[in-house]
PDB file of all heavy atoms in Angstrom:
ATOM      1  N   ARG A 256     -57.561  41.971  64.864  1.00 88.00           N
ATOM      2  CA  ARG A 256     -58.310  41.732  66.182  1.00 88.00           C
ATOM      3  C   ARG A 256     -57.918  42.778  67.177  1.00 88.00           C
ATOM      4  O   ARG A 256     -57.043  43.556  66.981  1.00 88.00           O
ATOM      5  CB  ARG A 256     -57.926  40.252  66.722  1.00 88.00           C
ATOM      6  CG  ARG A 256     -58.428  39.232  65.741  1.00 88.00           C
ATOM      7  CD  ARG A 256     -59.773  39.057  65.840  1.00 88.00           C
ATOM      8  NE  ARG A 256     -60.222  37.939  64.895  1.00 88.00           N
ATOM      9  CZ  ARG A 256     -61.402  37.818  64.429  1.00 88.00           C
ATOM     10  NH1 ARG A 256     -62.317  38.637  64.750  1.00 88.00           N
ATOM     11  NH2 ARG A 256     -61.735  36.912  63.567  1.00 88.00           N
ATOM     12  N   LYS A 257     -58.651  42.679  68.430  1.00 87.00           N
ATOM     13  CA  LYS A 257     -58.337  43.629  69.450  1.00 87.00           C
ATOM     14  C   LYS A 257     -56.916  43.619  69.920  1.00 87.00           C
ATOM     15  O   LYS A 257     -56.196  44.567  70.307  1.00 87.00           O
ATOM     16  CB  LYS A 257     -59.317  43.472  70.599  1.00 87.00           C
ATOM     17  CG  LYS A 257     -60.756  43.774  70.396  1.00 87.00           C
ATOM     18  CD  LYS A 257     -61.539  43.490  71.608  1.00 87.00           C
ATOM     19  CE  LYS A 257     -63.003  43.623  71.289  1.00 87.00           C
ATOM     20  NZ  LYS A 257     -63.903  43.253  72.485  1.00 87.00           N
ATOM     21  N   ASP A 258     -56.431  42.313  69.864  1.00 85.00           N
ATOM     22  CA  ASP A 258     -54.921  42.183  70.539  1.00 85.00           C
ATOM     23  C   ASP A 258     -53.945  42.473  69.373  1.00 85.00           C
ATOM     24  O   ASP A 258     -52.756  42.218  69.635  1.00 85.00           O
ATOM     25  CB  ASP A 258     -54.899  40.724  71.036  1.00 85.00           C
ATOM     26  CG  ASP A 258     -55.211  39.556  70.115  1.00 85.00           C
ATOM     27  OD1 ASP A 258     -55.537  39.973  68.837  1.00 85.00           O
ATOM     28  OD2 ASP A 258     -55.010  38.474  70.348  1.00 85.00           O
ATOM     29  N   GLY A 259     -54.320  42.946  68.235  1.00 82.00           N
ATOM     30  CA  GLY A 259     -53.426  43.166  67.125  1.00 82.00           C
ATOM     31  C   GLY A 259     -53.052  42.089  66.205  1.00 82.00           C
ATOM     32  O   GLY A 259     -52.254  42.268  65.345  1.00 82.00           O
ATOM     33  N   GLN A 260     -53.647  41.016  66.484  1.00 87.00           N
ATOM     34  CA  GLN A 260     -53.409  39.757  65.683  1.00 87.00           C
ATOM     35  C   GLN A 260     -53.977  39.894  64.262  1.00 87.00           C
ATOM     36  O   GLN A 260     -55.225  40.394  64.200  1.00 87.00           O
ATOM     37  CB  GLN A 260     -53.907  38.537  66.386  1.00 87.00           C
ATOM     38  CG  GLN A 260     -53.500  37.214  65.790  1.00 87.00           C
ATOM     39  CD  GLN A 260     -54.005  36.136  66.646  1.00 87.00           C
ATOM     40  OE1 GLN A 260     -54.869  36.194  67.569  1.00 87.00           O
ATOM     41  NE2 GLN A 260     -53.450  34.857  66.342  1.00 87.00           N
ATOM     42  N   LEU A 261     -53.334  39.447  63.321  1.00 88.00           N
ATOM     43  CA  LEU A 261     -53.796  39.525  61.908  1.00 88.00           C
ATOM     44  C   LEU A 261     -54.408  38.176  61.487  1.00 88.00           C
ATOM     45  O   LEU A 261     -53.862  37.218  61.781  1.00 88.00           O
ATOM     46  CB  LEU A 261     -52.781  39.952  60.979  1.00 88.00           C
ATOM     47  CG  LEU A 261     -52.111  41.380  61.126  1.00 88.00           C
ATOM     48  CD1 LEU A 261     -51.011  41.567  60.212  1.00 88.00           C
ATOM     49  CD2 LEU A 261     -53.178  42.412  61.015  1.00 88.00           C
ATOM     50  N   GLN A 262     -55.479  38.272  60.759  1.00 87.00           N
ATOM     51  CA  GLN A 262     -56.033  36.968  60.133  1.00 87.00           C
ATOM     52  C   GLN A 262     -56.428  37.229  58.755  1.00 87.00           C
ATOM     53  O   GLN A 262     -56.781  38.378  58.386  1.00 87.00           O
ATOM     54  CB  GLN A 262     -57.309  36.543  60.904  1.00 87.00           C
ATOM     55  CG  GLN A 262     -57.002  36.001  62.303  1.00 87.00           C
ATOM     56  CD  GLN A 262     -58.279  35.477  63.067  1.00 87.00           C
ATOM     57  OE1 GLN A 262     -59.449  35.972  62.655  1.00 87.00           O
ATOM     58  NE2 GLN A 262     -58.042  34.659  63.951  1.00 87.00           N
ATOM     59  N   LEU A 263     -56.285  36.206  57.860  1.00 85.00           N
ATOM     60  CA  LEU A 263     -56.705  36.417  56.398  1.00 85.00           C
ATOM     61  C   LEU A 263     -57.762  35.424  56.133  1.00 85.00           C
ATOM     62  O   LEU A 263     -57.893  34.288  56.468  1.00 85.00           O
ATOM     63  CB  LEU A 263     -55.458  36.080  55.585  1.00 85.00           C
ATOM     64  CG  LEU A 263     -55.585  36.182  54.013  1.00 85.00           C
ATOM     65  CD1 LEU A 263     -55.905  37.628  53.691  1.00 85.00           C
ATOM     66  CD2 LEU A 263     -54.425  35.665  53.414  1.00 85.00           C
ATOM     67  N   ARG A 264     -58.915  36.010  55.530  1.00 83.00           N
ATOM     68  CA  ARG A 264     -60.013  35.335  55.103  1.00 83.00           C
ATOM     69  C   ARG A 264     -60.217  35.579  53.538  1.00 83.00           C
ATOM     70  O   ARG A 264     -60.120  36.677  53.123  1.00 83.00           O
ATOM     71  CB  ARG A 264     -61.182  35.728  55.855  1.00 83.00           C
ATOM     72  CG  ARG A 264     -62.483  35.113  55.439  1.00 83.00           C
ATOM     73  CD  ARG A 264     -63.805  35.711  56.009  1.00 83.00           C
ATOM     74  NE  ARG A 264     -63.573  35.787  57.434  1.00 83.00           N
ATOM     75  CZ  ARG A 264     -64.373  36.492  58.271  1.00 83.00           C
ATOM     76  NH1 ARG A 264     -65.286  37.294  57.644  1.00 83.00           N
ATOM     77  NH2 ARG A 264     -64.329  36.537  59.546  1.00 83.00           N
ATOM     78  N   ASN A 265     -60.365  34.422  52.835  1.00 79.00           N
ATOM     79  CA  ASN A 265     -60.704  34.517  51.446  1.00 79.00           C
ATOM     80  C   ASN A 265     -62.136  34.488  51.231  1.00 79.00           C
ATOM     81  O   ASN A 265     -62.794  33.460  51.439  1.00 79.00           O
ATOM     82  CB  ASN A 265     -60.066  33.269  50.688  1.00 79.00           C
ATOM     83  CG  ASN A 265     -60.184  33.547  49.100  1.00 79.00           C
ATOM     84  OD1 ASN A 265     -60.970  34.410  48.651  1.00 79.00           O
ATOM     85  ND2 ASN A 265     -59.495  32.685  48.368  1.00 79.00           N
ATOM     86  N   ARG A 266     -62.776  35.615  51.043  1.00 77.00           N
ATOM     87  CA  ARG A 266     -64.210  35.840  50.872  1.00 77.00           C
ATOM     88  C   ARG A 266     -64.831  34.931  49.604  1.00 77.00           C
ATOM     89  O   ARG A 266     -65.984  34.697  49.553  1.00 77.00           O
ATOM     90  CB  ARG A 266     -64.739  37.090  50.907  1.00 77.00           C
ATOM     91  CG  ARG A 266     -64.566  37.773  52.200  1.00 77.00           C
ATOM     92  CD  ARG A 266     -65.185  39.237  52.211  1.00 77.00           C
ATOM     93  NE  ARG A 266     -65.710  39.511  53.466  1.00 77.00           N
ATOM     94  CZ  ARG A 266     -66.730  40.337  53.665  1.00 77.00           C
ATOM     95  NH1 ARG A 266     -67.320  40.809  52.754  1.00 77.00           N
ATOM     96  NH2 ARG A 266     -67.203  40.429  54.880  1.00 77.00           N
ATOM     97  N   ALA A 267     -63.959  34.659  48.811  1.00 73.00           N
ATOM     98  CA  ALA A 267     -64.374  33.903  47.499  1.00 73.00           C
ATOM     99  C   ALA A 267     -64.620  32.393  47.902  1.00 73.00           C
ATOM    100  O   ALA A 267     -65.310  31.802  47.243  1.00 73.00           O
ATOM    101  CB  ALA A 267     -63.311  33.977  46.449  1.00 73.00           C
ATOM    102  N   LYS A 268     -63.963  31.964  49.023  1.00 77.00           N
ATOM    103  CA  LYS A 268     -64.065  30.593  49.474  1.00 77.00           C
ATOM    104  C   LYS A 268     -64.609  30.706  50.933  1.00 77.00           C
ATOM    105  O   LYS A 268     -63.736  30.602  51.889  1.00 77.00           O
ATOM    106  CB  LYS A 268     -62.854  29.928  49.340  1.00 77.00           C
ATOM    107  CG  LYS A 268     -62.326  29.827  47.964  1.00 77.00           C
ATOM    108  CD  LYS A 268     -60.957  29.130  47.847  1.00 77.00           C
ATOM    109  CE  LYS A 268     -60.323  29.139  46.491  1.00 77.00           C
ATOM    110  NZ  LYS A 268     -59.026  28.686  46.327  1.00 77.00           N
ATOM    111  N   PRO A 269     -65.938  30.841  51.163  1.00 72.00           N
ATOM    112  CA  PRO A 269     -66.298  31.102  52.568  1.00 72.00           C
ATOM    113  C   PRO A 269     -66.186  29.889  53.448  1.00 72.00           C
ATOM    114  O   PRO A 269     -66.268  29.922  54.670  1.00 72.00           O
ATOM    115  CB  PRO A 269     -67.843  31.499  52.351  1.00 72.00           C
ATOM    116  CG  PRO A 269     -68.229  30.894  50.945  1.00 72.00           C
ATOM    117  CD  PRO A 269     -66.927  30.939  50.234  1.00 72.00           C
ATOM    118  N   ASN A 270     -65.957  28.684  52.876  1.00 75.00           N
ATOM    119  CA  ASN A 270     -65.872  27.438  53.760  1.00 75.00           C
ATOM    120  C   ASN A 270     -64.500  27.329  54.255  1.00 75.00           C
ATOM    121  O   ASN A 270     -64.167  26.617  55.196  1.00 75.00           O
ATOM    122  CB  ASN A 270     -66.144  26.186  52.898  1.00 75.00           C
ATOM    123  CG  ASN A 270     -67.651  26.235  52.476  1.00 75.00           C
ATOM    124  OD1 ASN A 270     -68.568  26.839  53.211  1.00 75.00           O
ATOM    125  ND2 ASN A 270     -68.011  25.564  51.410  1.00 75.00           N
ATOM    126  N   GLU A 271     -63.525  28.004  53.730  1.00 75.00           N
ATOM    127  CA  GLU A 271     -62.113  28.014  54.158  1.00 75.00           C
ATOM    128  C   GLU A 271     -62.051  28.749  55.510  1.00 75.00           C
ATOM    129  O   GLU A 271     -62.551  29.733  55.773  1.00 75.00           O
ATOM    130  CB  GLU A 271     -61.172  28.735  53.174  1.00 75.00           C
ATOM    131  CG  GLU A 271     -60.326  27.807  52.327  1.00 75.00           C
ATOM    132  CD  GLU A 271     -59.415  28.516  51.525  1.00 75.00           C
ATOM    133  OE1 GLU A 271     -58.813  29.550  51.881  1.00 75.00           O
ATOM    134  OE2 GLU A 271     -59.033  28.050  50.382  1.00 75.00           O
ATOM    135  N   PRO A 272     -61.278  28.119  56.483  1.00 74.00           N
ATOM    136  CA  PRO A 272     -61.153  28.886  57.800  1.00 74.00           C
ATOM    137  C   PRO A 272     -60.195  29.993  57.632  1.00 74.00           C
ATOM    138  O   PRO A 272     -59.323  29.963  56.764  1.00 74.00           O
ATOM    139  CB  PRO A 272     -60.467  27.763  58.633  1.00 74.00           C
ATOM    140  CG  PRO A 272     -59.845  26.861  57.726  1.00 74.00           C
ATOM    141  CD  PRO A 272     -60.546  26.864  56.420  1.00 74.00           C
ATOM    142  N   THR A 273     -60.295  30.959  58.486  1.00 77.00           N
ATOM    143  CA  THR A 273     -59.453  32.155  58.638  1.00 77.00           C
ATOM    144  C   THR A 273     -58.059  31.709  59.019  1.00 77.00           C
ATOM    145  O   THR A 273     -57.968  30.765  59.880  1.00 77.00           O
ATOM    146  CB  THR A 273     -59.902  33.186  59.501  1.00 77.00           C
ATOM    147  OG1 THR A 273     -60.094  32.741  60.742  1.00 77.00           O
ATOM    148  CG2 THR A 273     -61.228  33.756  58.868  1.00 77.00           C
ATOM    149  N   GLN A 274     -57.027  32.293  58.592  1.00 76.00           N
ATOM    150  CA  GLN A 274     -55.669  31.823  58.960  1.00 76.00           C
ATOM    151  C   GLN A 274     -54.952  33.031  59.757  1.00 76.00           C
ATOM    152  O   GLN A 274     -55.022  34.154  59.298  1.00 76.00           O
ATOM    153  CB  GLN A 274     -54.862  31.519  57.734  1.00 76.00           C
ATOM    154  CG  GLN A 274     -55.418  30.474  56.820  1.00 76.00           C
ATOM    155  CD  GLN A 274     -54.788  30.463  55.494  1.00 76.00           C
ATOM    156  OE1 GLN A 274     -53.878  31.135  55.216  1.00 76.00           O
ATOM    157  NE2 GLN A 274     -55.274  29.467  54.629  1.00 76.00           N
ATOM    158  N   ARG A 275     -54.277  32.615  60.826  1.00 83.00           N
ATOM    159  CA  ARG A 275     -53.625  33.626  61.626  1.00 83.00           C
ATOM    160  C   ARG A 275     -52.210  33.786  61.090  1.00 83.00           C
ATOM    161  O   ARG A 275     -51.521  32.817  60.840  1.00 83.00           O
ATOM    162  CB  ARG A 275     -53.572  33.178  63.109  1.00 83.00           C
ATOM    163  CG  ARG A 275     -54.894  33.207  63.740  1.00 83.00           C
ATOM    164  CD  ARG A 275     -54.672  32.688  65.117  1.00 83.00           C
ATOM    165  NE  ARG A 275     -55.959  32.785  65.864  1.00 83.00           N
ATOM    166  CZ  ARG A 275     -56.187  32.696  67.130  1.00 83.00           C
ATOM    167  NH1 ARG A 275     -55.111  32.520  67.875  1.00 83.00           N
ATOM    168  NH2 ARG A 275     -57.389  32.662  67.594  1.00 83.00           N
ATOM    169  N   LEU A 276     -51.828  35.042  60.770  1.00 83.00           N
ATOM    170  CA  LEU A 276     -50.651  35.331  60.066  1.00 83.00           C
ATOM    171  C   LEU A 276     -49.934  36.554  60.648  1.00 83.00           C
ATOM    172  O   LEU A 276     -50.595  37.349  61.206  1.00 83.00           O
ATOM    173  CB  LEU A 276     -50.858  35.538  58.580  1.00 83.00           C
ATOM    174  CG  LEU A 276     -51.381  34.533  57.752  1.00 83.00           C
ATOM    175  CD1 LEU A 276     -51.824  34.929  56.365  1.00 83.00           C
ATOM    176  CD2 LEU A 276     -50.366  33.362  57.617  1.00 83.00           C
ATOM    177  N   SER A 277     -48.700  36.600  60.488  1.00 84.00           N
ATOM    178  CA  SER A 277     -47.917  37.834  60.808  1.00 84.00           C
ATOM    179  C   SER A 277     -47.868  38.689  59.705  1.00 84.00           C
ATOM    180  O   SER A 277     -48.233  38.294  58.453  1.00 84.00           O
ATOM    181  CB  SER A 277     -46.520  37.529  61.353  1.00 84.00           C
ATOM    182  OG  SER A 277     -45.722  36.953  60.264  1.00 84.00           O
ATOM    183  N   ILE A 278     -47.597  39.971  59.736  1.00 84.00           N
ATOM    184  CA  ILE A 278     -47.440  40.800  58.519  1.00 84.00           C
ATOM    185  C   ILE A 278     -46.385  40.375  57.556  1.00 84.00           C
ATOM    186  O   ILE A 278     -46.618  40.520  56.439  1.00 84.00           O
ATOM    187  CB  ILE A 278     -47.190  42.229  59.029  1.00 84.00           C
ATOM    188  CG1 ILE A 278     -47.485  43.227  57.902  1.00 84.00           C
ATOM    189  CG2 ILE A 278     -45.846  42.492  59.522  1.00 84.00           C
ATOM    190  CD1 ILE A 278     -48.894  43.412  57.515  1.00 84.00           C
ATOM    191  N   GLU A 279     -45.307  39.755  58.051  1.00 86.00           N
ATOM    192  CA  GLU A 279     -44.280  39.214  57.259  1.00 86.00           C
ATOM    193  C   GLU A 279     -44.755  38.044  56.364  1.00 86.00           C
ATOM    194  O   GLU A 279     -44.452  37.859  55.173  1.00 86.00           O
ATOM    195  CB  GLU A 279     -43.056  38.785  58.090  1.00 86.00           C
ATOM    196  CG  GLU A 279     -42.379  39.929  58.684  1.00 86.00           C
ATOM    197  CD  GLU A 279     -42.924  40.309  59.957  1.00 86.00           C
ATOM    198  OE1 GLU A 279     -43.781  39.444  60.637  1.00 86.00           O
ATOM    199  OE2 GLU A 279     -42.759  41.490  60.385  1.00 86.00           O
ATOM    200  N   ASN A 280     -45.770  37.167  56.920  1.00 86.00           N
ATOM    201  CA  ASN A 280     -46.285  36.068  56.150  1.00 86.00           C
ATOM    202  C   ASN A 280     -47.466  36.490  55.361  1.00 86.00           C
ATOM    203  O   ASN A 280     -47.715  35.855  54.364  1.00 86.00           O
ATOM    204  CB  ASN A 280     -46.718  34.985  57.124  1.00 86.00           C
ATOM    205  CG  ASN A 280     -45.549  34.435  57.945  1.00 86.00           C
ATOM    206  OD1 ASN A 280     -44.370  34.465  57.486  1.00 86.00           O
ATOM    207  ND2 ASN A 280     -45.733  33.911  59.118  1.00 86.00           N
ATOM    208  N   LEU A 281     -48.141  37.590  55.715  1.00 86.00           N
ATOM    209  CA  LEU A 281     -49.347  37.966  55.022  1.00 86.00           C
ATOM    210  C   LEU A 281     -49.039  38.560  53.559  1.00 86.00           C
ATOM    211  O   LEU A 281     -49.622  38.205  52.675  1.00 86.00           O
ATOM    212  CB  LEU A 281     -50.161  38.967  55.835  1.00 86.00           C
ATOM    213  CG  LEU A 281     -51.257  39.641  55.227  1.00 86.00           C
ATOM    214  CD1 LEU A 281     -52.420  38.751  55.153  1.00 86.00           C
ATOM    215  CD2 LEU A 281     -51.702  41.005  56.080  1.00 86.00           C
ATOM    216  N   ILE A 282     -48.009  39.340  53.591  1.00 88.00           N
ATOM    217  CA  ILE A 282     -47.702  40.113  52.256  1.00 88.00           C
ATOM    218  C   ILE A 282     -47.182  39.191  51.196  1.00 88.00           C
ATOM    219  O   ILE A 282     -47.883  39.249  50.113  1.00 88.00           O
ATOM    220  CB  ILE A 282     -46.408  41.072  52.521  1.00 88.00           C
ATOM    221  CG1 ILE A 282     -46.911  42.151  53.563  1.00 88.00           C
ATOM    222  CG2 ILE A 282     -45.943  41.754  51.169  1.00 88.00           C
ATOM    223  CD1 ILE A 282     -48.015  43.005  53.149  1.00 88.00           C
ATOM    224  N   PRO A 283     -46.414  38.091  51.387  1.00 89.00           N
ATOM    225  CA  PRO A 283     -46.044  37.258  50.216  1.00 89.00           C
ATOM    226  C   PRO A 283     -47.351  36.437  49.713  1.00 89.00           C
ATOM    227  O   PRO A 283     -47.550  36.178  48.549  1.00 89.00           O
ATOM    228  CB  PRO A 283     -45.057  36.202  50.812  1.00 89.00           C
ATOM    229  CG  PRO A 283     -44.474  36.956  51.939  1.00 89.00           C
ATOM    230  CD  PRO A 283     -45.585  37.932  52.516  1.00 89.00           C
ATOM    231  N   ARG A 284     -48.204  36.082  50.738  1.00 87.00           N
ATOM    232  CA  ARG A 284     -49.514  35.506  50.261  1.00 87.00           C
ATOM    233  C   ARG A 284     -50.429  36.262  49.472  1.00 87.00           C
ATOM    234  O   ARG A 284     -50.988  35.850  48.416  1.00 87.00           O
ATOM    235  CB  ARG A 284     -50.336  35.001  51.532  1.00 87.00           C
ATOM    236  CG  ARG A 284     -49.898  33.523  51.787  1.00 87.00           C
ATOM    237  CD  ARG A 284     -50.767  32.972  52.734  1.00 87.00           C
ATOM    238  NE  ARG A 284     -51.963  32.431  52.034  1.00 87.00           N
ATOM    239  CZ  ARG A 284     -52.813  31.662  52.540  1.00 87.00           C
ATOM    240  NH1 ARG A 284     -52.622  31.335  53.808  1.00 87.00           N
ATOM    241  NH2 ARG A 284     -53.782  31.158  51.791  1.00 87.00           N
ATOM    242  N   LEU A 285     -50.493  37.564  49.783  1.00 86.00           N
ATOM    243  CA  LEU A 285     -51.374  38.506  49.034  1.00 86.00           C
ATOM    244  C   LEU A 285     -50.761  38.812  47.656  1.00 86.00           C
ATOM    245  O   LEU A 285     -51.402  38.846  46.694  1.00 86.00           O
ATOM    246  CB  LEU A 285     -51.541  39.848  49.795  1.00 86.00           C
ATOM    247  CG  LEU A 285     -52.524  39.694  50.984  1.00 86.00           C
ATOM    248  CD1 LEU A 285     -52.524  41.042  51.734  1.00 86.00           C
ATOM    249  CD2 LEU A 285     -53.935  39.215  50.589  1.00 86.00           C
ATOM    250  N   ILE A 286     -49.377  38.875  47.598  1.00 87.00           N
ATOM    251  CA  ILE A 286     -48.674  39.093  46.286  1.00 87.00           C
ATOM    252  C   ILE A 286     -49.029  37.852  45.390  1.00 87.00           C
ATOM    253  O   ILE A 286     -49.299  38.016  44.125  1.00 87.00           O
ATOM    254  CB  ILE A 286     -47.208  39.322  46.562  1.00 87.00           C
ATOM    255  CG1 ILE A 286     -47.035  40.691  47.240  1.00 87.00           C
ATOM    256  CG2 ILE A 286     -46.440  39.244  45.217  1.00 87.00           C
ATOM    257  CD1 ILE A 286     -45.586  40.946  47.646  1.00 87.00           C
ATOM    258  N   ALA A 287     -48.832  36.752  45.909  1.00 86.00           N
ATOM    259  CA  ALA A 287     -49.084  35.528  45.082  1.00 86.00           C
ATOM    260  C   ALA A 287     -50.492  35.421  44.645  1.00 86.00           C
ATOM    261  O   ALA A 287     -50.722  35.100  43.491  1.00 86.00           O
ATOM    262  CB  ALA A 287     -48.694  34.277  45.851  1.00 86.00           C
ATOM    263  N   GLN A 288     -51.536  35.863  45.555  1.00 83.00           N
ATOM    264  CA  GLN A 288     -52.948  35.688  45.133  1.00 83.00           C
ATOM    265  C   GLN A 288     -53.206  36.667  44.082  1.00 83.00           C
ATOM    266  O   GLN A 288     -54.049  36.637  43.219  1.00 83.00           O
ATOM    267  CB  GLN A 288     -53.682  35.840  46.440  1.00 83.00           C
ATOM    268  CG  GLN A 288     -53.756  34.685  47.299  1.00 83.00           C
ATOM    269  CD  GLN A 288     -54.383  33.464  46.657  1.00 83.00           C
ATOM    270  OE1 GLN A 288     -55.188  33.545  45.774  1.00 83.00           O
ATOM    271  NE2 GLN A 288     -53.942  32.311  47.100  1.00 83.00           N
ATOM    272  N   GLN A 289     -52.689  38.038  44.292  1.00 83.00           N
ATOM    273  CA  GLN A 289     -52.940  38.994  43.174  1.00 83.00           C
ATOM    274  C   GLN A 289     -52.246  38.814  41.895  1.00 83.00           C
ATOM    275  O   GLN A 289     -52.756  39.223  40.954  1.00 83.00           O
ATOM    276  CB  GLN A 289     -52.543  40.416  43.777  1.00 83.00           C
ATOM    277  CG  GLN A 289     -53.581  40.887  44.631  1.00 83.00           C
ATOM    278  CD  GLN A 289     -53.622  42.398  44.774  1.00 83.00           C
ATOM    279  OE1 GLN A 289     -52.680  43.083  44.578  1.00 83.00           O
ATOM    280  NE2 GLN A 289     -54.865  42.827  45.057  1.00 83.00           N
ATOM    281  N   GLN A 290     -51.226  37.897  41.833  1.00 85.00           N
ATOM    282  CA  GLN A 290     -50.606  37.597  40.708  1.00 85.00           C
ATOM    283  C   GLN A 290     -51.457  36.575  39.895  1.00 85.00           C
ATOM    284  O   GLN A 290     -51.630  36.562  38.663  1.00 85.00           O
ATOM    285  CB  GLN A 290     -49.168  37.067  40.823  1.00 85.00           C
ATOM    286  CG  GLN A 290     -48.087  38.084  41.044  1.00 85.00           C
ATOM    287  CD  GLN A 290     -46.895  37.583  41.471  1.00 85.00           C
ATOM    288  OE1 GLN A 290     -46.638  36.330  41.685  1.00 85.00           O
ATOM    289  NE2 GLN A 290     -45.713  38.441  41.457  1.00 85.00           N
ATOM    290  N   GLU A 291     -52.139  35.717  40.735  1.00 84.00           N
ATOM    291  CA  GLU A 291     -53.014  34.785  40.219  1.00 84.00           C
ATOM    292  C   GLU A 291     -54.375  35.396  39.674  1.00 84.00           C
ATOM    293  O   GLU A 291     -54.927  35.040  38.711  1.00 84.00           O
ATOM    294  CB  GLU A 291     -53.339  33.710  41.304  1.00 84.00           C
ATOM    295  CG  GLU A 291     -53.989  32.394  40.832  1.00 84.00           C
ATOM    296  CD  GLU A 291     -54.161  31.478  42.046  1.00 84.00           C
ATOM    297  OE1 GLU A 291     -53.086  31.146  42.650  1.00 84.00           O
ATOM    298  OE2 GLU A 291     -55.260  30.921  42.238  1.00 84.00           O
ATOM    299  N   ASN A 292     -54.910  36.275  40.581  1.00 81.00           N
ATOM    300  CA  ASN A 292     -56.121  36.901  40.317  1.00 81.00           C
ATOM    301  C   ASN A 292     -55.979  38.460  40.509  1.00 81.00           C
ATOM    302  O   ASN A 292     -56.147  38.948  41.528  1.00 81.00           O
ATOM    303  CB  ASN A 292     -57.259  36.508  41.328  1.00 81.00           C
ATOM    304  CG  ASN A 292     -57.591  34.998  41.137  1.00 81.00           C
ATOM    305  OD1 ASN A 292     -57.680  34.493  40.140  1.00 81.00           O
ATOM    306  ND2 ASN A 292     -57.866  34.246  42.235  1.00 81.00           N
ATOM    307  N   PRO A 293     -55.465  39.061  39.489  1.00 80.00           N
ATOM    308  CA  PRO A 293     -55.322  40.585  39.654  1.00 80.00           C
ATOM    309  C   PRO A 293     -56.455  41.374  39.888  1.00 80.00           C
ATOM    310  O   PRO A 293     -56.447  42.543  40.391  1.00 80.00           O
ATOM    311  CB  PRO A 293     -54.554  40.970  38.352  1.00 80.00           C
ATOM    312  CG  PRO A 293     -54.835  39.876  37.340  1.00 80.00           C
ATOM    313  CD  PRO A 293     -55.173  38.743  38.117  1.00 80.00           C
ATOM    314  N   ASP A 294     -57.654  40.905  39.651  1.00 80.00           N
ATOM    315  CA  ASP A 294     -58.962  41.694  39.954  1.00 80.00           C
ATOM    316  C   ASP A 294     -59.390  41.501  41.309  1.00 80.00           C
ATOM    317  O   ASP A 294     -60.424  42.181  41.695  1.00 80.00           O
ATOM    318  CB  ASP A 294     -60.017  41.242  38.955  1.00 80.00           C
ATOM    319  CG  ASP A 294     -59.613  41.589  37.557  1.00 80.00           C
ATOM    320  OD1 ASP A 294     -58.902  42.516  37.284  1.00 80.00           O
ATOM    321  OD2 ASP A 294     -60.102  40.995  36.584  1.00 80.00           O
TER     322      ASP A 294
END
């Protein structure tokens, strides 16, 4: 966002709301998701 805030959206699940995260919380989530779905 303009203010530098990070949000994560899963486009595979459009009904899920976006989640506000810091970079420290974002990385472990993405690592877990890519281990689950490497593609």
Side-chain angles (χ1 to χ4, degrees):
R256 300 281 178 206
K257 290 179 187 178
D258 57 359
Q260 188 175 15
L261 298 176
Q262 293 183 334
L263 181 65
R264 178 189 304 162
N265 188 353
R266 289 183 144 211
K268 299 175 183 174
N270 296 335
E271 258 185 30
T273 59
Q274 302 168 359
R275 294 180 178 193
L276 299 169
S277 66
I278 193 73
E279 294 82 21
N280 297 334
L281 176 72
I282 298 296
R284 265 196 84 166
L285 289 174
I286 291 173
Q288 288 294 335
Q289 281 206 333
Q290 285 175 349
E291 189 178 311
N292 297 319
D294 293 336

